[in-house]
């Protein structure tokens, strides 16, 4: 048999650029879907709690009569790890309550949507980067208590990072 001209033409799309179809191999890409869902919700618990401290903390401190910016920052830094621990704990319990009656397939579906959502991936990257930056800033700004400075820096930075990430996710050029 002779090949026609169309059959012998090379494909304009290289084979490595073609999109893979969904197969059973996709299951292997998320080996622990429950972990993936918990990682997401615990990170969001830390984001929300940190954001609450950054937004409401200064208002509360102003009503209590704290006017010095250094004193305000010291108190916000001391409150932020407690708030983050509370946010992580509450969202961990809420996630457990939500997942305990779901099938493995439902949990995997949720984990798959979280893992491959571009906005979620961007939000996670911005949160991790700001946590690193906040931790380094805390290390440098509190030489007498470096570990506590790093913890406070991480806890104070991840809330505003969430807002920045959501703003970036709304603009298509960042995704």
């Amino acid at each position: 048999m002779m090949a026609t001209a169309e059959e012998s033409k090379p494909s304009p799309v290289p084979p490595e650029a073609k999109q893979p179809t969904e197969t059973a191999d996709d299951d292997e890409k998320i080996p622990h879907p429950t972990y993936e869902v918990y990682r997401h919700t615990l990170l969001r618990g830390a984001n929300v709690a940190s954001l609450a401290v950054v937004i409401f903390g200064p208002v509360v401190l102003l009503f209590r009569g704290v006017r010095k910016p250094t004193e305000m920052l010291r108190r916000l830094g001391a409150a932020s790890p407690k708030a983050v621990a509370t946010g992580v704990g509450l969202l961990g319990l809420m996630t457990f309550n939500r997942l305990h009656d779901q099938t493995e397939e439902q949990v995997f579906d949720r984990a798959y949507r979280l893992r491959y959502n571009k906005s979620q991936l961007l939000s996670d990257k911005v949160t991790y980067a700001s946590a690193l930056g906040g931790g380094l800033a805390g290390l440098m700004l509190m030489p007498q208590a470096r570990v506590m400075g790093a913890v406070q820096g991480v806890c104070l930075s991840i809330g505003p990072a969430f807002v920045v990430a959501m703003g970036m996710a709304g603009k298509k050029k960042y995704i």
Side-chain angles (χ1 to χ4, degrees):
M1 283 185 108
M2 291 187 52
T4 64
E6 285 191 25
E7 289 176 3
S8 62
K9 260 176 136 180
S11 172
V13 179
E16 62 272 1
K18 291 183 180 178
Q19 294 295 324
T21 58
E22 197 168 314
T23 64
D25 293 338
D26 288 340
D27 292 348
E28 296 172 16
K29 291 182 182 176
I30 304 176
H32 306 288
T34 304
Y35 163 77
E36 190 77 22
V37 174
Y38 271 103
R39 184 196 59 79
H40 166 76
T41 56
L42 297 180
L43 186 60
R44 292 302 159 257
N47 285 138
V48 170
S50 172
L51 191 59
V53 167
V54 171
I55 291 173
F56 298 117
V59 174
V60 170
L61 291 175
L62 284 173
F63 278 118
R64 290 186 177 176
V66 178
R67 300 285 187 247
K68 289 184 178 177
T70 55
E71 179 63 18
M72 194 175 286
L73 187 59
R74 186 189 68 75
R75 288 190 183 192
L76 290 175
S80 62
K82 297 170 191 164
V84 167
T86 303
V88 166
L90 286 175
L91 258 71
L93 289 173
M94 291 168 63
T95 303
F96 173 77
N97 188 38
R98 176 74 183 216
L99 293 183
H100 83 278
D101 60 348
Q102 291 189 348
T103 65
E104 284 184 39
E105 186 176 316
Q106 290 171 320
V107 174
F108 178 80
D109 181 57
R110 180 70 181 144
Y112 186 86
R113 286 184 282 133
L114 288 171
R115 167 84 55 101
Y116 296 106
N117 183 312
K118 289 182 180 181
S119 294
Q120 287 298 330
L121 294 175
L122 177 67
S123 176
D124 290 347
K125 287 176 186 176
V126 170
T127 299
Y128 294 139
S130 70
L132 178 65
L136 292 174
L139 278 173
M140 291 186 282
L141 294 175
M142 293 183 65
Q144 69 278 9
R146 292 193 185 278
V147 173
M148 196 60 207
V151 169
Q152 290 175 359
V154 167
C155 292
L156 282 173
S157 66
I158 58 178
F162 183 65
V163 173
V164 169
M166 291 299 98
M168 290 171 67
K171 298 181 177 12
K172 297 294 183 195
K173 67 180 180 179
Y174 294 110
I175 297 179

